[in-house]
Amino acid sequence: MPELRHSVSMGTRAVSSPVKRDDTVSSLFSGDIAGGSVDDGHRPFARGRDRNRDRDHDRDKEAHRSFLLRLPNFIRSFLSLDDLRAYSLLSSHRVHLAFLAFLLLIGLVSLPYLWTRLNAPYLCIKEGITLHCPKTREPSSLWENPHSSTTSWKPCAERSEKPISDIPPENETNGYIFIHAEGGLNQQRIAICNAVAVAKIMNATLILPVLKQDQIWKDQTKLEDIFDVDHFIEYLKDDVRIVRDIPDWFTDKAELFTSIRRTVKNIPKYAPAHFYIDNVLPRIKEKKIMALKPFVDRLGYDNVPPEINRLRCRVNYHALKFLPEIEEMADLLAVRMRNRTGSPNPYMALHLRFEKGMVGLSFCDFVGTREEKAMMAAYRQKEWPRRYKNGSHLWQLALQKRKEGRCPLEPGEVAVILRAMGYPKETQIYVASGQVYGGQTRMAPLRNMFPNLVTKEELASTDELSGFRKHVTSLAALDFLVCLKSDVFVMTHGGNFAKLIIGARRYMGHRLKSIKPDKGLMSKSFGDPYMGWASFIEDVVITHETRTGLPEETFPNYDLWENPLTPCMCRA
């Protein structure tokens, strides 16, 4: 049977002895050597070397066979270790297997992290009125700005110890100016600083400003009810002459408040210094005494001499001091904030601007029931009829304002941002705010995430605060000082209160953190249904690295009250 024999002979060749093949290879090499590669004088040595090589080769083959017998059959048949090339192949496979094992080990170690990232919640989980956010690592600079970033500038608006007076004699003054400081406490503060600067520009005498009754707060307070007037006048005596009352020679004092002949009107907002020289000073020289109305933001920042800006900082940071009893009560509240747990702790001050008036004036849309939205629409139509019109354009306007970061942050949004920054549940928070729109329901997400949240009414007794309740402005002054003394200050919307505190903390050396959230970026993150918690944390941390009250160079039309870096501060 030729086919069978052919198979047998092929099988015989397939399993022929490797020893014979090796002998054949050896004889070929020996023949090659005998054929003239080595001269006759060295043939005995060559043969001896060949025999030693054969013995070593036999030992290697025995070791290979022993290793092969220890392998599983399928690997032995797959690798075919019957020659040297197969052994080399095995070595290569061993390297590959080791590499694969290394990758598998890395995968096993990384599996929990990958699982966490893949299953990260969309920001925070809401259960009723409670927000649950994952824990966040606390950064080392959680409670203060890095020291290396705060040592390059120092305040330099204060007068020298022995100043030289540069005001003219009383009989050489160009006249008297009088202003009504309108608005809330901080708007009034800015008006007073500007009034001193304008008096200096025109070389006029300033009559002590009157705090005009605010239409919202309905508070009638005199300047001496809030500020130390004696210190104010004494400190500025070498800069501007300030008198407590209208001169006696001006008999009809009521005329100063009512007569249009005694009033300079139509002063543009952020007017330059030369406007007062060209348009206001001639009338003051003529009438000797004039009232300036209105007087809110009536002096610019980058269109006045640097020494005028330094004077405004001198008034704000050194001349305008609250009454001692207000300062003492604020110090007491700050001490209580730091010792609420029985041991010293840093505390955060949060200026939460989410009152009904602010929500209405913003014309932004917020989450709420149909009834709440209908009531807010009616409130806006009543208070701002020209802006409200028929209400049809407000939805698009609200979306645009939110994208541009011009909407107040809700309490729940503030809570999520603070947790992403790394502030733990135990953080002590002082809240400076009016009556929050939506009440306790709106405050619940923030209070549940940060339960150690208090107001001045919870820190002090009714008796302790009774003396300050005579004037709403006094209570606002307490909030201002407690926020100013805090380790971290967080604002949620613009306004004079926030920018004056941020500016003062910068002027004090930039060390205290003043967080100004990027509301435009945050609105995009809150509205992104695919953003996980880890990505949100990364966005929050990176975005706010430079929004913590660090030194910032000024720019045209910059706000002096929020950023007094130049010319009110100097290189250290």
Side-chain angles (χ1 to χ4, degrees):
M1 294 185 292
E3 294 86 355
L4 182 57
R5 285 197 301 272
H6 178 73
S7 300
V8 172
S9 63
M10 290 293 292
T12 304
R13 285 197 297 272
V15 297
S16 61
S17 172
V19 178
K20 292 183 179 180
R21 287 206 313 270
D22 293 341
D23 291 343
T24 305
V25 174
S26 299
S27 63
L28 288 174
F29 277 98
S30 300
D32 188 37
I33 295 174
S37 298
V38 182
D39 59 19
D40 294 342
H42 293 81
R43 284 177 186 171
F45 172 75
R47 285 196 295 271
R49 186 176 59 188
D50 290 341
R51 285 194 296 270
N52 292 335
R53 184 187 302 162
D54 290 341
R55 284 195 298 270
D56 293 340
H57 203 141
D58 290 339
R59 283 195 298 270
D60 290 342
K61 286 189 291 182
E62 288 300 328
H64 299 163
R65 291 191 185 96
S66 176
F67 174 76
L68 179 62
L69 291 174
R70 289 196 299 270
L71 291 175
N73 292 333
F74 74 93
I75 296 180
R76 190 165 60 242
S77 60
F78 175 75
L79 296 178
S80 183
L81 299 177
D82 290 331
D83 54 19
L84 293 174
R85 287 178 300 173
Y87 180 73
S88 175
L89 182 63
L90 174 64
S91 299
S92 176
H93 277 278
R94 290 171 67 186
V95 173
H96 291 162
L97 288 173
F99 182 69
L100 290 174
F102 177 71
L103 292 179
L104 180 62
L105 180 62
I106 293 178
L108 291 174
V109 173
S110 304
L111 187 60
Y113 172 76
L114 295 174
W115 179 260
T116 301
R117 288 298 294 261
L118 291 174
N119 290 276
Y122 166 63
L123 300 189
C124 303
I125 300 173
K126 187 174 183 180
E127 293 182 2
I129 59 175
T130 303
L131 287 175
H132 298 283
C133 296
K135 291 184 178 180
T136 307
R137 182 181 63 85
E138 295 184 27
S140 57
S141 59
L142 191 65
W143 289 102
E144 61 182 12
N145 284 320
H147 182 70
S148 58
S149 303
T150 62
T151 57
S152 56
W153 293 87
K154 64 178 182 180
C156 59
E158 192 171 7
R159 289 187 69 92
S160 61
E161 294 182 1
K162 296 181 180 180
I164 300 175
S165 178
D166 52 3
I167 61 174
E170 186 175 359
N171 58 353
E172 295 181 12
T173 182
N174 285 327
Y176 292 80
I177 62 172
F178 176 80
I179 69 158
H180 275 99
E182 302 176 358
L185 170 66
N186 298 287
Q187 186 171 313
Q188 292 170 345
R189 187 185 189 103
I190 292 174
I192 294 168
C193 296
N194 286 339
V196 173
V198 168
K200 181 69 174 179
I201 290 172
M202 297 187 296
N203 196 16
T205 299
L206 175 66
I207 301 171
L208 200 66
V210 170
L211 305 184
K212 188 176 181 181
Q213 181 176 358
D214 186 79
Q215 294 180 353
I216 297 177
W217 297 109
K218 306 297 183 184
D219 183 41
Q220 182 60 59
T221 306
K222 296 180 180 179
L223 191 66
E224 53 266 30
D225 294 331
I226 303 297
F227 297 104
D228 187 340
V229 172
D230 292 334
H231 173 79
F232 176 71
I233 296 174
E234 176 67 22
Y235 191 88
L236 296 172
K237 66 180 182 180
D238 296 311
D239 293 297
V240 176
R241 178 175 287 105
I242 302 172
V243 296
R244 288 179 176 270
D245 205 350
I246 300 171
D248 294 335
W249 55 261
F250 189 78
T251 56
D252 192 359
K253 296 184 179 181
E255 183 184 358
L256 189 59
F257 293 88
T258 58
S259 175
I260 194 171
R261 294 181 302 163
R262 293 285 181 180
T263 303
V264 179
K265 300 181 71 70
N266 302 320
I267 301 175
K269 292 191 71 174
Y270 306 110
H274 66 78
F275 178 88
Y276 287 91
I277 299 295
D278 298 337
N279 299 280
V280 181
L281 183 58
R283 297 194 63 186
I284 292 178
K285 287 183 175 180
E286 177 189 357
K287 299 290 185 180
K288 293 301 179 183
I289 182 167
M290 295 291 290
L292 308 182
K293 295 181 182 180
F295 201 72
V296 178
D297 297 325
R298 300 294 152 174
L299 183 64
Y301 301 117
D302 59 343
N303 50 18
V304 299
E307 59 268 19
I308 296 298
N309 279 333
R310 277 195 292 273
L311 175 60
R312 288 200 278 188
C313 288
R314 192 175 305 137
V315 177
N316 187 28
Y317 302 126
H318 301 286
L320 274 177
K321 284 190 174 183
F322 292 109
L323 291 174
E325 52 266 32
I326 296 178
E327 295 271 2
E328 290 170 6
M329 188 64 202
D331 287 338
L332 180 61
L333 294 177
V335 169
R336 289 177 180 176
M337 279 301 302
R338 288 200 169 91
N339 292 278
R340 293 189 68 227
T341 60
S343 58
N345 288 297
Y347 76 92
M348 173 189 294
L350 174 63
H351 185 220
L352 188 60
R353 296 207 70 189
F354 206 74
E355 306 91 348
K356 182 179 180 180
M358 177 52 60
V359 172
L361 181 61
S362 71
F363 278 84
C364 295
D365 184 68
F366 299 95
V367 177
T369 64
R370 290 184 179 180
E371 290 77 12
E372 285 178 328
K373 290 180 181 293
M375 291 175 64
M376 178 53 67
Y379 174 70
R380 286 170 172 167
Q381 187 174 24
K382 177 184 176 182
E383 297 293 331
W384 303 279
R386 292 185 180 180
R387 291 185 59 187
Y388 187 84
K389 298 179 182 178
N390 61 3
S392 60
H393 67 295
L394 293 182
W395 173 248
Q396 185 176 0
L397 175 65
L399 289 176
Q400 183 64 28
K401 294 188 73 172
R402 187 166 289 276
K403 289 179 181 179
E404 295 173 356
R406 294 191 289 146
C407 294
L409 289 172
E410 295 189 46
E413 293 174 328
V414 177
V416 175
I417 293 173
L418 294 179
R419 180 56 52 85
M421 287 181 177
Y423 291 98
K425 182 179 181 179
E426 298 75 23
T427 301
Q428 305 292 325
I429 301 180
Y430 178 89
V431 177
S433 173
Q435 184 64 42
V436 173
Y437 175 68
Q440 293 302 318
T441 301
R442 187 75 66 169
M443 282 290 293
L446 175 61
R447 190 175 290 276
N448 289 336
M449 193 175 294
F450 295 98
N452 296 322
L453 183 147
V454 295
T455 62
K456 58 181 172 293
E457 288 79 11
E458 296 170 289
L459 279 178
S461 67
T462 304
D463 291 340
E464 287 176 318
L465 294 179
S466 60
F468 301 96
R469 295 188 185 278
K470 298 177 183 178
H471 307 289
V472 175
T473 311
S474 299
L475 296 175
L478 288 177
D479 278 341
F480 184 91
L481 289 173
V482 178
C483 289
L484 185 65
K485 299 171 187 293
S486 65
D487 298 274
V488 173
F489 172 71
V490 180
M491 60 169 287
T492 62
H493 198 50
N496 295 319
F497 183 99
K499 67 184 181 183
L500 280 171
I501 288 180
I502 291 176
R505 291 162 72 90
R506 279 179 164 152
Y507 187 77
M508 291 159 59
H510 297 91
R511 192 67 185 272
L512 300 175
K513 292 186 74 169
S514 301
I515 299 174
K516 185 178 181 181
D518 188 333
K519 294 183 293 181
L521 180 63
M522 292 300 96
S523 68
K524 295 178 183 178
S525 299
F526 288 133
D528 186 352
Y530 303 104
M531 176 168 285
W533 180 246
S535 300
F536 180 72
I537 288 177
E538 185 177 5
D539 282 356
V540 170
V541 171
I542 293 176
T543 301
H544 295 90
E545 282 180 346
T546 57
R547 299 177 70 89
T548 60
L550 292 171
E552 291 182 10
E553 292 293 342
T554 54
F555 49 87
N557 297 317
Y558 72 96
D559 196 313
L560 178 71
W561 312 114
E562 185 174 338
N563 185 13
L565 189 67
T566 54
C568 299
M569 301 185 73
C570 308
R571 289 284 182 181

